[in-house]
Amino acid sequence: MESLVLLLVVLILCNWYGVVSSLNGEGYALLSFKQAITEDPEGSLSNWNSSDENPCAWNGVTCSKELRVVSLSIPKKKLVGFLPSALGSISELRHLNLRNNKLNGSLPIELFEAHGLQSLVLYGNSLSGSVSNQVGKLKYLQTLDLSQNFLNGSVPESIVECKRLRTLDISQNNFTGSLPVGFGNAFVSLEKLDLSFNRFSGSIPGDIGNLSSLQGTVDLSHNLFSGPIPASLGNLPEKVYIDLTNNNLTGPIPQTGALMNRGPTAFIGNPGLCGPPLKNPCSSQTPGANSPSSFPYLPDNSSAQDSDHGKSGKAKGLSKSAVVAIIVSDVIGICLVGLLFSYCYTRICSCRGRKDEHSKGGGKGKKECLCFRKDESETLSENVEQYDLVALDTQVGFDLDELLKASAFVLGKSGIGIVYKVVLEEGQTLAVRRLGEGGSQRFKEFQTEVEAIGKLRHPNVVTLKAYYWSVDEKLLIYDYISNGNLSTALHGRSGSDSFTPLSWSIRLKIMKGIARGLVYLHEFSPKKYVHGDLKPNNILLGPNMEPQISDFGLGRLANIAGGSPTLQSSRMAMDKSLERAQKGAPSDATTVASSTTNTTTNLGSCYIAPEALKMVKPSQKWDVYSYGVILLEMITGRLPLIQVGSSEMDLVHWIQLCIEEKKPLSDVLDSYLVQDAEKDDEIIGVIKIAMACIQTSPEKRPTMRHVSEAMERLIISDS
């Protein structure tokens, strides 16, 4: 009997030992990772069982034909925990991808014992500490992406031993110190280099120009690099975009190779830099200012105010006293001409008013003058009681009677009139803005302004088709844009349950279209317009979601027409509305959604550049700032005013706080864009453009031309 019991115990022990020892060593190494995970909300590791013979069927695990683990890939699963040292014992491991989780702790030194690693992708976690010098043992490493973590210390000198690297992205960490010696000569195969948003210091290595395989953007921005830009940087492939923004670089910008013909967007945030394409010329005392690699300063023709900067006083041989004399003589001449006109009017002109008493039109009169006639815009002329509809487009096929008889629906209201959707009898749909009644009626001035706007033709700018003027009524007639405005497309219609979020490709299309439209208004329109009040509510979306900028010049037209506030007073009203909203009081301001019935609380002051609230002369840099805020709103999906705890914060300060706190991209990104997370290079590129646009100082903001060019370069694919 005792022998039978002993036999049963032995059999049980054997079976138990067989179960426990059935999993191979690589399986146990992976189980140590599962044990290091404290939270697995999506159950990504639920089928990792010790009872399996090998881990090859586990989620995220890939094995070779010999059943050896070659890849561990579990991205974006919200895993919380740390990296165990046992992962380095998986000798055949080729790929480790744990990006966009919530892993913390340091990179274990033992991890670099997996000498066969070809890709190590850990970005978007909360890893901290330094990177071991053992990283140089990874001779086969091709992709190293440790971005968006909290890693610190200097980059190990041994990294130059990883000569097969094709991608090196360590951006958005806390790395310090200089780049290793031989950095540029080491990576002959390197295609992507991103060192941005760290605290690297020292000079940019001169041999970095030897990275001949680079593609896309070489991003060294938002660091502490100092000294001159090495001329050898121009040796990089010409299609490479070099981002050096926000460092401590000094001296002239070399005009060689890949550095030539670049806009200022690539160099802003370096107060010590000078020469083209920046507006501050290099002085004769600037080291290297006279070097062959630097061209003489040429003024940027995008700003008429700066067109005379950089010209030498010797250029035309005029002294200061001569210039003053010329100006004084011009002023005296203008005054004399004005006196002459005044004399002609008061002494020589013989004007007489005449009314046709038999006219059934009632009140129409005519003035006849022998020479000069007083400008009608200076008086409330009784002759301007009623004008017919004035067409600004040759395709206008309706008259005033048809317009007045048509069905009309209110689309929205604002401080600058009411907008109606008007459907003509034959089915044509129009958007009609009523500017108000009464006030100072300066018809000629209004006519000049409205007809200049009517000449604008661009696919990303709303076309003004016609206008109507009378003492009691002023109307602006546009095509009706069918897909509403950008604000509704991003956030949905108030009170409506149906909402289709915009995909990343559609958002890119809209971003680029807005930029093109602003470039046209700023540089190619007859008056080089400043919109001055750009926001998602006045960006309309056509049938194919192409953006069209509306409401430009509207403030001035409303001011001329009378009965409506000027653009500046509208700004002040918006600012007061925002203050009331911040204090919890209801806001009475509403915005015009020119192709939707959506009427929302006006948060327009969040889009206004800080200097615009000081009532200075309008500047195109106002529009650049507004565009930057719109980009952030499209990326984050958030309203321009964000609730943070018990207080409110505008979107610009919120995004700046997120960057300072090194928050992962997933915390910033619109939740509807999660499926487009693989486009993170494009998203980060657009964020950088937005950050350049929202600089507090208008001088540091790029022009819209340079912004549009940067969008075209940084965006890889949009459909």
Side-chain angles (χ1 to χ4, degrees), residues 389 395-409 420-432 465-466 475 477-480:
L389 190 74
Q395 297 180 353
V396 171
F398 55 88
D399 57 25
L400 183 61
D401 287 338
E402 290 178 85
L403 188 68
L404 297 179
K405 291 177 182 177
S407 301
F409 312 91
Y420 300 89
K421 176 183 177 181
V422 175
V423 182
L424 301 180
E425 286 185 357
E426 67 273 16
Q428 184 180 1
T429 307
L430 304 168
V432 178
K465 299 180 71 68
L475 305 176
I477 298 95
Y478 305 88
D479 279 324
Y480 177 75

Side-chain angles (χ1 to χ4, degrees), residues 493-718:
R493 192 190 305 267
S494 178
S496 175
D497 295 330
S498 60
F499 174 59
T500 303
L502 299 177
S503 67
W504 177 243
S505 61
I506 294 295
R507 296 187 201 212
L508 286 181
K509 178 180 180 178
I510 294 171
M511 292 173 191
K512 293 170 72 175
I514 299 170
R516 294 189 194 110
L518 286 174
V519 171
Y520 172 77
L521 290 176
H522 286 186
E523 299 194 17
F524 300 104
S525 61
K527 294 190 175 184
K528 292 183 167 51
Y529 282 97
V530 174
H531 190 292
D533 194 25
L534 189 71
K535 53 193 174 187
N537 277 324
N538 50 38
I539 296 169
L540 310 183
L541 301 174
N544 297 316
M545 301 303 287
E546 66 277 5
Q548 297 188 38
I549 300 170
S550 70
D551 293 0
F552 52 91
L554 194 59
R556 177 161 171 75
L557 286 176
N559 189 32
I560 295 171
S564 296
T566 64
L567 195 59
Q568 285 289 357
S569 60
S570 294
R571 281 200 179 86
M572 295 172 67
M574 284 190 288
D575 199 36
K576 290 177 181 177
S577 174
L578 180 60
E579 289 177 6
R580 288 195 296 272
Q582 290 174 331
K583 294 176 181 178
S587 171
D588 57 359
T590 56
T591 57
V592 175
S594 299
S595 56
T596 177
T597 56
N598 183 32
T599 304
T600 59
T601 300
N602 196 334
L603 299 177
S605 59
C606 293
Y607 303 97
I608 296 174
E611 71 275 9
L613 295 174
K614 299 175 183 177
M615 300 185 71
V616 297
K617 183 179 179 181
S619 163
Q620 293 178 351
K621 295 300 179 73
W622 293 8
D623 293 345
V624 176
Y625 183 92
S626 302
Y627 178 74
V629 180
I630 291 171
L631 290 188
L632 294 178
E633 186 170 349
M634 295 182 74
I635 290 169
T636 63
R638 295 173 181 265
L639 289 168
L641 197 62
I642 298 172
Q643 190 74 29
V644 181
S646 59
S647 61
E648 289 177 321
M649 181 182 296
D650 65 71
L651 183 57
V652 169
H653 288 94
W654 180 79
I655 200 76
Q656 290 170 340
L657 182 64
C658 289
I659 291 173
E660 289 174 5
E661 294 180 351
K662 301 280 186 181
K663 289 187 180 262
L665 182 62
S666 56
D667 287 2
V668 175
L669 200 61
D670 187 345
S671 59
Y672 291 115
L673 294 178
V674 172
Q675 67 271 21
D676 296 299
E678 69 276 5
K679 299 293 184 69
D680 54 359
D681 285 346
E682 298 175 4
I683 295 170
I684 292 171
V686 174
I687 290 175
K688 289 180 180 178
I689 292 173
M691 297 307 293
C693 292
I694 60 171
Q695 295 275 345
T696 303
S697 171
E699 292 79 15
K700 291 184 178 180
R701 296 174 207 148
T703 64
M704 278 311 305
R705 176 192 285 272
H706 291 127
V707 168
S708 184
E709 290 174 352
M711 291 291 292
E712 299 291 347
R713 282 194 300 265
L714 290 176
I715 294 172
I716 300 168
S717 61
D718 60 337

Side-chain angles (χ1 to χ4, degrees), residues 27 113 121 142 170 200 204-205 213 229 279 342 411 454 488 562 603 609:
E113 294 297 327
V121 180
Q142 297 180 29
I170 53 176
F200 287 116
I204 297 174
S213 298
I229 298 174
K279 292 183 178 179
S342 177
L411 291 175
T488 302
L603 299 177

Side-chain angles (χ1 to χ4, degrees), residues 6 214 258 304 318 440 448 539 603 657 681 702:
L6 182 61
L214 284 174
L318 294 177
S440 174
T448 301
I539 296 169
L603 299 177
L657 182 64
D681 285 346

Side-chain angles (χ1 to χ4, degrees), residues 15-236:
N15 288 333
W16 178 82
Y17 179 78
V19 170
V20 172
S21 61
S22 64
L23 187 63
N24 61 23
E26 292 182 337
Y28 280 114
L30 291 174
L31 281 181
S32 70
F33 174 66
K34 181 178 181 179
Q35 292 169 354
I37 299 301
T38 57
E39 293 182 27
D40 180 12
E42 298 185 17
S44 303
L45 310 180
S46 59
N47 70 337
W48 288 30
N49 298 314
S50 58
S51 59
D52 295 331
E53 193 172 317
N54 60 63
C56 296
W58 294 357
N59 292 336
V61 178
T62 304
C63 292
S64 65
K65 293 179 180 179
E66 294 78 21
L67 303 182
R68 303 295 300 275
V69 175
V70 295
S71 174
L72 174 59
S73 180
I74 311 178
K76 299 187 297 182
K77 297 300 181 183
K78 303 176 183 178
L79 299 177
V80 178
F82 63 91
L83 292 173
S85 58
L87 289 179
S89 65
I90 306 176
S91 59
E92 298 296 321
L93 190 63
R94 299 288 180 265
H95 306 283
L96 179 59
N97 181 3
L98 300 173
R99 64 183 176 92
N100 284 326
N101 283 292
K102 298 182 179 181
L103 303 176
N104 49 52
S106 60
L107 287 174
I109 297 177
E110 294 80 3
L111 181 62
F112 303 113
E113 294 297 327
H115 296 168
L117 268 178
Q118 296 176 14
S119 64
L120 179 57
V121 180
L122 299 173
Y123 74 79
N125 284 285
S126 298
L127 300 170
S128 58
S130 60
V131 178
S132 169
N133 207 43
Q134 299 296 312
V135 70
K137 292 183 176 181
L138 304 181
K139 308 293 185 183
Y140 299 97
L141 193 63
Q142 297 180 29
T143 299
L144 179 60
D145 194 340
L146 305 176
S147 59
Q148 300 178 44
N149 280 287
F150 300 101
L151 298 169
N152 54 38
S154 59
V155 174
E157 295 283 343
S158 67
I159 198 171
V160 298
E161 300 299 324
C162 303
K163 298 185 182 297
R164 300 192 183 191
L165 269 180
R166 301 178 66 180
T167 295
L168 176 58
D169 190 346
I170 53 176
S171 61
Q172 300 187 53
N173 279 286
N174 295 315
F175 287 112
T176 56
S178 302
L179 296 181
V181 177
F183 187 87
N185 292 322
F187 307 123
V188 294
S189 301
L190 195 65
E191 297 176 357
K192 177 181 178 180
L193 176 61
D194 193 345
L195 308 178
S196 61
F197 290 94
N198 280 287
R199 291 185 291 162
F200 287 116
S201 58
S203 59
I204 297 174
D207 60 3
I208 203 170
N210 296 330
L211 301 176
S212 58
S213 298
L214 284 174
Q215 302 173 11
T217 299
V218 175
D219 201 338
L220 308 181
S221 66
H222 294 86
N223 279 290
L224 302 173
F225 286 118
S226 58
I229 298 174
S232 61
L233 207 56
N235 297 335
L236 294 177

